Amino acid sequence: MATTHYRSCPLCEATCGVAIEVDGDRVVSVRGDDADPFSKGYICPKGTALADLHHDPDRLTQPMRRTGDTWTPMGWDEALDYVASQLREVRARHGKHAIGVYQGNPTAHNLGLLTYGQLLLRTLGTRNMFSATSLDQLPHMLAALQMFGNQLLMPVPDIDRTDLFICLGANPLASNGSLMTAPDVRNRLKAIQGRGGKVIVLDPRRTETAEKADQHLFIRPATDAVLLLAMIHVLFAENRVRLGRLRATGLDEMRALANPWTPERAAPITGIAAEQIRDLTRQLATTERAVMYGRIGVCVQEFGGLAAWLCYAINALTGHLDEPGGLMFSTPAVDPVPLASLLGYDGGFARWTSRVSGKPEFGGELPMTAFVEEITTPGDGQIRALITSAGNPVLSAPGGAALEDALGSLEFMVSIDPYLNETTRLAHVILPPTSPLERSHYDAALNAFAVRNIAKYSPPLFERGPNERHDWEICLGLLTRLRLPSIGRGLAEKVLGKLGPEAVIDIALRTGPWGLRRGFSGLSIARLREQPHGVDLGALESRLPGRLDTRDKKIHLAPDVYISDMPRLHRRFEGNTTELVMIGRRHLRSNNSWMHNSERLVKGPPRCTLMIHPDDATARGLTDGASAKVATRVGAIVVPVEVTDTMMPGVVSVPHGWGHGKRGTKLSVASTVPGASVNDVIDPARIDALTGTSALSGQPVEVTPA
Ligand SMILES: Nc1nc2c(c(=O)[nH]1)N[C@H]1C(S)=C(S)[C@@H](COP(=O)(O)OP(=O)(O)OC[C@H]3O[C@@H](n4cnc5c(=O)[nH]c(N)nc54)[C@H](O)[C@@H]3O)O[C@H]1N2
Ligand SMILES: Nc1nc2c(c(=O)[nH]1)N[C@H]1C(S)=C(S)[C@@H](COP(=O)(O)OP(=O)(O)OC[C@H]3O[C@@H](n4cnc5c(=O)[nH]c(N)nc54)[C@H](O)[C@@H]3O)O[C@H]1N2
Ligand code: SF4
Ligand SMILES: [Mo]
């Protein structure tokens, strides 16, 4: 007999409610949960593919050990003992910094990795901590730290109440939203238009989101900081700055910084006419409920630090920060600020720098731009062993080929990952966790970036088998083996093993803003169990100045780190550049590098193509469907050509996460649609010098017929 189970989809930031019909141990269907108060029945094709993921015969379920090219299964105790002993040996030989860590994106969607995973990795004491953060949102986090006092205080657009949504470097119709947890963005944008509001997209590609917008403006990649400075220039020049009730420092500095950036100067750099810059600024300034939302296009570029900061700042300068319809701070039931510091994740920037090239630390992590050199450069502190967890850096980090070589030189590597993929095939041991349907779920990280305050707990749908382990159990097993003498270990594992991550969340819920202080009806895991569709805690509320973590309880509009990065921006745009540059893109049926093993997601025309404007194609003798060679200093790939006027002239686009057919992987579907890895041609030396974030976007390329 089939039964229906309700839970959250953990595959992207939208956190949609799914209704999963099961018969015995088989998933019969996955649909949107109409009763979920937040997603109201919406899901995307990836949600349906949860079934494929769970039943994927390629998904590993027991530890595997590699000798040469041969993998042999291991028991859990044997595997955890072996991994711990290897790591201990490396630490004894070379010191604690010799153990490196890379954490990938699914960490943010995984309660076990957010709790026990952090406890394990953050207490290793190594300076060689890396993650996808520096390929992604680091500039937003730095801006939150500098302006609001805490790296986790990233404000989110109040999309449901705004009348002007300006979208800079984000494509939520493909990505389903990021640092803006908002299921069914398409309808939320439609609702803005329905109430007479407007959506404006600024993007080097006329994206799926731009197609639905009221206006789309092409912007030359990596010139966002210039656009935003010109807009701020207009605000001051036309006396339109309005801080409202906000108390802030740095207004005079901001005026001075923006002063040289007239719209006339910004126009040839950005590709946006001066009058359009003025018009955009006036709309933002005069619409009562308006927001400028910037996402990954703003971050992963040469001036990601400046652009992310200016994007928050312009909302503050136009009175749209912390106001309904603007950029707001959430009130999540589990407050990530105290939780993170409890788990060893403290904020900070450039308190120390990397050993080899002096890149700045952020939140105790080094940027991925320092990863390979820290493995390959001999000396004290060189990485000799590596733990990867929920990450696939061979495909996701720039300079993938060199990174792959570097991983091959390690004395020991262990991967906590369900797949034998491009990265984990280089590990000595793979420790595969249970499937998302076998574990409990609470969006401890993403709820903090949701456009409504919500809470939802999902118990496991299927019990894990006796020979399977959750991520958190794997992390706990390693933690106790690495940190405790064998006598105390059994007891610690029993006690902590009984508690599980639910205990952490339960305490956080009870002590959080919607917990005990709300009296009898306060949230707890038990309360949430009674409401399997989730609880809606209402629209975002104004939180300032209380929520600020700055000492003076003011917003810092113009922190020094940004002021000192301004000369670099001036130097960069002294002359005009016209070279062909490459950006990335996302597709609704894709999820970075790791959902390509689902038949239903990858079917259809090839997705790993080079999009190019007709004029640029003609100039290079390229025709639609032909093969093109994309080359840079670090490598070359060959991909099919898609000629399209949705691209800005002078800009081409290739998505990341492809390049599957590597020898020794176990991805039977993905390897039939391998594509090429764009990160094999993205130069790891291209960085945002302020933050250390990889400049994945705006890579100059040579494109020729293959
Ligand atoms: N050129 C270019 N490169 C990019 C980007 C880009 O736009 N352009 N985007 C960047 C961004 S934003 C990101 S976030 C990174 C992503 O970079 P990564 O996080 O390194 O890559 P993913 O493809 O997300 O790989 C996720 C891995 O986690 C495993 N996994 C999935 N679920 C679980 C789980 O529950 N537990 C465990 N233990 N493992 C799991 C998968 O099998 C896979 O190996 O890529 C970055 N790279
Ligand atoms: N379907 C799907 N959904 C995903 C993912 C996925 O791989 N597939 N990945 C998830 C992850 S890890 C993340 S971080 C989020 C990201 O979520 P989004 O930020 O929405 O990601 P993208 O769809 O890549 O949109 C970025 C946009 O920036 C544009 N762009 C590139 N360079 C520049 C620039 O210099 N300036 C400006 N203004 N625009 C620029 C690109 O053309 C693109 O349209 O998506 C998440 N959701
Ligand atoms: S939008 Fe994201 S959370 Fe919603 S079903 Fe798709 S992958 Fe899952
Ligand atoms: Mo990401």
Side-chain angles (χ1 to χ4, degrees):
M1 224 222 12
T3 53
T4 302
H5 169 99
Y6 303 97
R7 61 189 297 109
S8 303
C9 171
L11 296 177
C12 87
E13 295 177 49
T15 70
C16 301
V18 285
I20 304 182
E21 203 189 343
V22 289
D23 191 355
D25 61 358
R26 296 299 296 180
V27 174
V28 181
S29 71
V30 183
R31 288 171 297 111
D33 176 6
D34 296 327
D36 183 299
F38 194 33
S39 60
K40 298 184 175 143
Y42 172 82
I43 56 166
C44 84
K46 286 198 296 287
T48 318
L50 271 172
D52 308 351
L53 185 60
H54 181 72
H55 293 301
D56 189 345
D58 286 340
R59 190 167 58 79
L60 307 175
T61 53
Q62 58 179 324
M64 304 291 283
R65 179 177 173 183
R66 180 173 61 84
T67 345
D69 283 343
T70 320
W71 290 93
T72 36
M74 291 175 105
W76 278 102
D77 280 335
E78 183 196 359
L80 293 170
D81 286 344
Y82 176 70
V83 169
S85 74
Q86 292 294 306
L87 293 174
R88 264 202 311 268
E89 273 178 35
V90 167
R91 195 168 56 184
R93 272 200 300 276
H94 309 289
K96 61 184 180 183
H97 302 308
I99 300 179
V101 170
Y102 174 78
Q103 297 189 74
N105 169 275
T107 308
H109 310 252
N110 185 312
L111 183 55
L113 291 176
L114 282 173
T115 51
Y116 286 71
Q118 298 318 301
L119 214 51
L120 166 70
L121 301 171
R122 297 248 164 212
T123 56
L124 285 172
T126 175
R127 285 194 160 183
N128 283 311
M129 292 276 299
F130 296 85
S131 81
T133 289
S134 54
L135 306 171
D136 190 349
Q137 80 286 359
L138 196 162
H140 289 308
M141 296 180 83
L142 180 63
L145 177 68
Q146 297 287 335
M147 299 176 75
F148 313 127
N150 189 294
Q151 75 279 12
L152 297 174
L153 291 180
M154 289 179 277
V156 294
D158 186 14
I159 188 171
D160 292 343
R161 290 185 291 180
T162 198
D163 295 322
L164 175 64
F165 187 80
I166 305 179
C167 181
L168 182 67
N171 183 15
L173 256 54
S175 69
N176 276 305
S178 183
L179 293 180
M180 173 179 75
T181 286
D184 198 4
V185 172
R186 180 187 296 260
N187 269 314
R188 291 177 196 268
L189 292 178
K190 228 190 228 166
I192 296 175
Q193 294 164 328
R195 57 182 175 261
K198 250 176 109 172
V199 178
I200 302 177
V201 172
L202 299 129
D203 196 297
R205 181 167 79 89
R206 193 165 70 244
T207 59
E208 294 78 359
T209 309
E211 294 284 1
K212 299 284 174 198
D214 299 276
Q215 192 183 1
H216 167 240
L217 296 168
F218 281 128
I219 178 169
R220 175 100 180 145
T223 65
D224 302 80
V226 174
L227 169 74
L228 290 161
L229 283 163
M231 291 179 72
I232 293 171
H233 175 103
V234 174
L235 287 177
F236 281 106
E238 298 185 355
N239 194 18
R240 294 182 189 277
V241 171
R242 300 282 177 272
L243 283 177
R245 61 184 170 79
L246 301 181
R247 298 211 305 144
T249 63
L251 200 60
D252 292 337
E253 288 87 341
M254 190 59 105
R255 180 200 303 269
L257 292 175
N259 191 47
W261 294 99
T262 61
E264 281 67 25
R265 181 168 172 210
I269 296 171
T270 57
I272 302 176
E275 253 336 282
Q276 270 172 332
I277 295 175
R278 288 201 171 85
D279 177 54
L280 191 66
T281 312
R282 288 170 196 151
Q283 289 192 60
L284 181 64
T286 59
T287 308
E288 195 185 327
R289 294 190 165 198
V291 69
M292 164 85 83
Y293 162 66
R295 196 41 195 103
I296 197 165
V298 171
C299 287
V300 290
Q301 48 143 303
E302 256 179 285
F303 296 101
L306 289 179
W309 155 60
L310 290 166
C311 197
Y312 286 165
I314 200 165
N315 283 286
L317 292 170
T318 48
H320 299 311
L321 185 71
D322 201 41
E323 292 292 340
L327 204 57
M328 300 190 79
F329 297 90
S330 63
T331 313
V334 168
D335 188 343
V337 174
L339 185 63
S341 60
L342 192 75
L343 294 166
Y345 180 40
D346 59 336
F349 175 58
R351 289 166 298 184
W352 43 277
T353 55
S354 68
R355 178 180 64 104
V356 178
S357 60
K359 303 254 161 56
E361 153 278 340
F362 180 78
E365 289 182 24
L366 287 172
M368 280 304 281
T369 50
F371 185 61
V372 170
E373 64 195 21
E374 291 297 333
I375 299 177
T376 56
T377 312
D380 209 21
Q382 181 188 9
I383 300 175
R384 297 314 305 141
L386 180 70
I387 306 174
T388 74
S389 170
N392 191 4
V394 167
L395 296 192
S396 54
L403 193 147
E404 188 173 335
D405 288 345
L407 296 187
S409 74
L410 291 164
E411 287 174 29
F412 182 71
M413 173 170 158
V414 54
S415 293
I416 305 174
D417 201 290
Y419 281 105
L420 178 45
N421 65 20
E422 298 74 19
T423 296
T424 62
R425 81 200 161 101
L426 300 163
H428 297 93
V429 177
I430 302 176
L431 301 171
T434 47
S435 108
L437 303 184
E438 291 164 326
R439 57 174 97 117
S440 59
H441 186 80
Y442 184 91
D443 275 303
L446 302 175
N447 284 352
F449 309 110
V451 301
R452 288 185 72 81
N453 293 315
I454 37 145
K456 178 166 173 173
Y457 169 77
S458 318
L461 196 176
F462 299 116
E463 279 308 308
R464 73 151 169 75
N467 297 321
E468 292 172 351
R469 294 291 180 272
H470 300 304
D471 282 285
W472 69 269
E473 292 175 300
I474 297 169
C475 293
L476 176 61
L478 290 177
L479 179 73
T480 52
R481 281 168 177 79
L482 284 171
R483 301 197 59 88
L484 297 175
S486 44
I487 13 169
R489 192 185 300 157
L491 184 68
E493 239 177 296
K494 251 207 193 93
V495 174
L496 288 167
K498 271 240 155 53
L499 292 174
E502 276 90 347
V504 181
I505 293 304
D506 197 40
I507 295 169
L509 281 169
R510 287 170 191 270
T511 55
W514 304 90
L516 289 171
R517 74 184 85 152
R518 304 261 163 170
F520 182 67
S521 60
L523 292 184
S524 62
I525 291 277
R527 270 274 131 63
L528 291 178
R529 274 183 196 276
E530 295 162 6
Q531 313 214 43
H533 306 287
V535 183
D536 181 33
L537 302 167
L540 301 180
E541 292 166 346
S542 295
R543 300 288 317 271
L544 300 192
R547 187 63 165 157
L548 291 176
D549 229 354
T550 47
R551 243 178 249 144
D552 55 5
K553 284 282 172 196
K554 288 183 184 165
I555 294 166
H556 297 184
L557 283 174
D560 289 343
V561 293
Y562 299 116
I563 297 177
S564 43
D565 198 32
M566 290 297 291
R568 190 168 66 95
L569 190 72
H570 282 279
R571 276 197 307 277
R572 176 69 174 80
F573 293 111
E574 264 159 14
N576 250 351
T577 50
T578 51
E579 62 206 328
L580 188 69
V581 296
M582 180 170 67
I583 61 171
R585 67 176 185 273
R586 283 172 164 76
H587 190 282
L588 195 57
R589 290 176 177 272
S590 200
N591 199 10
N592 296 323
S593 75
W594 74 280
M595 291 288 289
H596 298 150
N597 213 42
S598 160
E599 191 76 59
R600 88 175 90 200
L601 290 183
V602 294
K603 67 177 185 225
R607 303 241 168 78
C608 183
T609 62
L610 173 92
M611 288 184 173
I612 186 167
H613 186 271
D615 295 349
D616 292 323
T618 309
R620 287 166 183 77
L622 293 167
T623 52
D624 198 62
S627 287
K629 182 174 149 193
V630 181
T632 66
R633 179 184 76 90
V634 294
I637 54 171
V638 173
V639 279
V641 175
E642 214 176 319
V643 178
T644 164
D645 70 0
T646 59
M647 291 308 302
M648 182 177 195
V651 186
V652 296
S653 161
V654 179
H656 72 288
W658 299 91
H660 291 301
K662 287 190 193 282
R663 200 171 53 85
T665 57
K666 187 167 173 249
L667 295 163
S668 47
V669 177
S671 54
T672 62
V673 284
S677 179
V678 73
N679 280 319
D680 285 350
V681 297
I682 295 183
D683 189 341
R686 290 189 74 253
I687 67 168
D688 171 19
L690 169 61
T691 62
T693 305
S694 298
L696 301 168
S697 199
Q699 165 77 50
V701 285
E702 253 175 60
V703 177
T704 49

